[in-house]
Amino acid sequence: PSGSTKNLFSPAIMIEWLLSRATIISLAVVGGVLSMLASWCGSRNLISEQHVAYLNKAAYVFMAISMVLFIAAGMYGSENQG
């Protein structure tokens, strides 16, 4: 193994990936799609109310993680610019 290959699971690379714009936007989009899917399925009685609630909880988890990473990216970016 040569030293020129990067370890994709190193903490620095993982943090950069987690705080990347694409990751944050993707998490928010997945949350939005899950929320819309829960609403759509619930209004047409395609799934039980319990499953609608699970989908909504999953949507909120994805959106919350996206918001936390967005804030962290802003703080991380301001620390690295100075």
Side-chain angles (χ1 to χ4, degrees):
S2 67
S4 64
T5 59
K6 292 183 178 179
N7 182 3
L8 294 178
F9 297 106
S10 72
I13 292 175
M14 291 298 289
I15 289 171
E16 290 293 328
W17 178 77
L18 281 172
L19 299 180
S20 72
R21 184 177 183 153
T23 301
I24 294 168
I25 292 172
S26 297
L27 287 169
V29 168
V30 168
V33 168
L34 286 175
S35 181
M36 288 181 1
L37 184 64
S39 178
W40 185 77
C41 289
S43 68
R44 287 167 177 70
N45 294 321
L46 298 176
I47 58 177
S48 69
E49 287 298 318
Q50 183 180 15
H51 287 104
V52 170
Y54 287 147
L55 271 176
N56 271 323
K57 286 178 186 175
Y60 282 116
V61 167
F62 275 94
M63 288 186 270
I65 292 170
S66 174
M67 288 185 282
V68 168
L69 290 177
F70 178 79
I71 293 166
M75 293 173 68
Y76 180 73
S78 65
E79 288 177 3
N80 287 334
Q81 290 178 7

